[in-house]
């Protein structure tokens, strides 16, 4: 798991001696190029290129292109003043959020544990659920690969009882037996025609909801570093302009 506070610390340590070493701008048309470097000792270079609605950060930590075509984002420097928000800004990446987010097994495991603990605390999980989750999910050996992991978690059930009900009011009275329930639904729909729609309702038991919506991706180290670099570079630029004006 990437520790974002640690990345901020690294960034601050990396640019202690850095100043603007090249600058080229057409302020009226919002075309800007900035380069930041330090005396020979440092390999770290930050470069910033901006044109209306676009900003590219480049240099020693890789390049990332942001674009936002809203009326108030003609000057993209305005989007990067203040708090560093890598997660939020990822939506402006031309290559998409997926280009900087990786599957993070530790985030998934933490979410599984939290979800299970909550279910036990709220009293709706059947007894023994903790052990089952540990053995069949956490220790399944399938969590290293994202697709396998999401499937294993999404399909996990413990003590589940279901009832099948049709739009006509008929129901499978033998609730709880999965194979018989499926047979009943097929038979009922075949015998009564297309207007009959059987739905499945979960009466009790434990499973994981909305697994596809869980946040199980952490942001790329260099991307987060460069987000700090943008905010820092823009503030350096602002300070330099203020100095010139005064
Ligand atoms: Zn029916």
């Amino acid at each position: 798991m990437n520790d974002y506070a640690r990345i901020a610390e690294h960034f601050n340590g990396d640019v202690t001696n850095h100043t603007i070493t090249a600058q080229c701008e057409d302020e009226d048309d919002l075309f800007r190029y900035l380069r930041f470097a330090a005396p020979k000792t440092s390999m770290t270079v930050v470069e910033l290129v901006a044109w209306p609605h676009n900003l590219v950060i480049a240099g020693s930590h890789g390049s990332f292109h942001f674009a936002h075509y809203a009326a108030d984002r003609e000057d993209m420097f305005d989007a990067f003043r203040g708090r560093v928000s890598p997660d939020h800004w990822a939506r402006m990446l031309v290559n998409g959020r997926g280009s900087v987010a990786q599957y993070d097994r530790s985030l998934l495991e933490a979410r599984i544990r939290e979800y299970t603990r909550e279910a036990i605390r709220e009293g709706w999980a059947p007894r023994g659920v903790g052990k089952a989750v540990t053995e069949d999910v956490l220790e399944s050996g399938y969590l290293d690969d994202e697709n396998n992991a999401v499937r294993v978690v999404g399909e996990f059930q413990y003590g589940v009882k279901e009832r099948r009900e049709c739009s006509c009011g008929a129901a499978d009275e033998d609730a709880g037996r999965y194979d018989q329930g499926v047979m009943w639904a097929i038979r009922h729909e075949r015998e009564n025609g297309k207007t009959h729609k059987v739905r499945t309702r979960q009466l009790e038991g434990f499973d994981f909801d909305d697994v596809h919506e869980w946040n199980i991706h952490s942001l790329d180290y260099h991307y987060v570093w460069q987000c700090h670099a943008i905010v820092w570079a823009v503030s350096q630029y602002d300070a330099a302009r203020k100095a010139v004006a005064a």
Side-chain angles (χ1 to χ4, degrees):
M1 200 184 320
N2 269 335
D3 175 352
Y4 299 140
R6 189 175 52 88
I7 301 173
E9 228 169 77
H10 283 183
F11 173 78
N12 290 327
D14 288 345
V15 297
T16 42
N17 295 313
H18 284 60
T19 52
I20 296 178
T21 57
Q23 183 170 347
C24 163
E25 63 178 314
D26 181 344
E27 186 56 29
D28 290 338
D29 294 319
L30 302 171
F31 288 90
R32 302 192 187 108
Y33 167 76
L34 301 169
R35 178 182 167 90
F36 299 83
K40 290 171 193 131
T41 49
S42 173
M43 300 290 284
T44 305
V45 173
V46 172
E47 290 179 285
L48 202 60
V49 186
W51 63 99
H53 302 287
N54 286 268
L55 183 144
V56 171
I57 181 85
S60 54
H61 281 66
S63 56
F64 302 92
H65 180 184
F66 300 84
H68 193 183
Y69 289 92
D72 61 341
R73 286 291 173 260
E74 197 181 1
D75 181 354
M76 280 290 273
F77 277 25
D78 289 342
F80 297 96
R81 288 191 174 95
R83 210 165 71 85
V84 179
S85 313
D87 207 45
H88 184 62
W89 295 340
R91 287 183 298 184
M92 293 192 287
L93 285 167
V94 171
N95 288 346
R97 192 181 191 282
S99 65
V100 297
Q102 308 127 342
Y103 166 60
D104 188 332
R105 180 184 165 146
S106 64
L107 284 179
L108 178 69
E109 288 187 2
R111 186 75 190 96
I112 290 170
R113 291 203 166 88
E114 182 195 343
Y115 187 102
T116 309
R117 259 200 311 272
E118 246 169 54
I120 293 169
R121 196 169 52 229
E122 289 166 5
W124 61 270
R127 287 179 78 85
V129 70
K131 187 166 180 281
V133 167
T134 300
E135 285 172 4
D136 298 341
V137 180
L138 293 170
E139 291 171 1
S140 65
Y142 286 111
L143 299 192
D144 282 331
D145 172 77
E146 178 176 2
N147 290 330
N148 289 339
V150 167
R151 203 171 141 187
V152 165
V153 177
E155 288 178 359
F156 177 80
Q157 290 191 330
Y158 184 73
V160 166
K161 278 197 183 143
E162 293 172 337
R163 178 182 161 94
R164 269 153 241 275
E165 298 164 340
C166 183
S167 46
C168 72
D172 170 25
E173 296 309 330
D174 200 7
R177 298 194 47 187
Y178 178 78
D179 47 346
Q180 286 203 357
V182 172
M183 290 307 296
W184 180 87
I186 292 170
R187 205 168 48 237
H188 182 82
E189 287 183 349
R190 196 173 49 208
E191 285 169 2
N192 295 287
K194 279 198 168 79
T195 54
H196 290 248
K197 292 267 177 277
V198 174
R199 292 209 279 183
T200 304
R201 192 156 67 86
Q202 188 171 321
L203 297 175
E204 59 181 72
F206 176 94
D207 59 6
F208 295 101
D209 263 344
D210 306 324
V211 177
H212 286 279
E213 289 164 24
W214 290 5
N215 180 17
I216 54 171
H217 297 92
S218 62
L219 295 170
D220 177 73
Y221 178 92
H222 294 289
Y223 167 68
V224 176
W225 196 99
Q226 287 289 48
C227 284
H228 283 276
I230 299 170
V231 171
W232 174 81
V234 169
S235 73
Q236 297 281 306
Y237 171 83
D238 287 345
R241 276 182 65 83
K242 219 182 232 171
V244 169

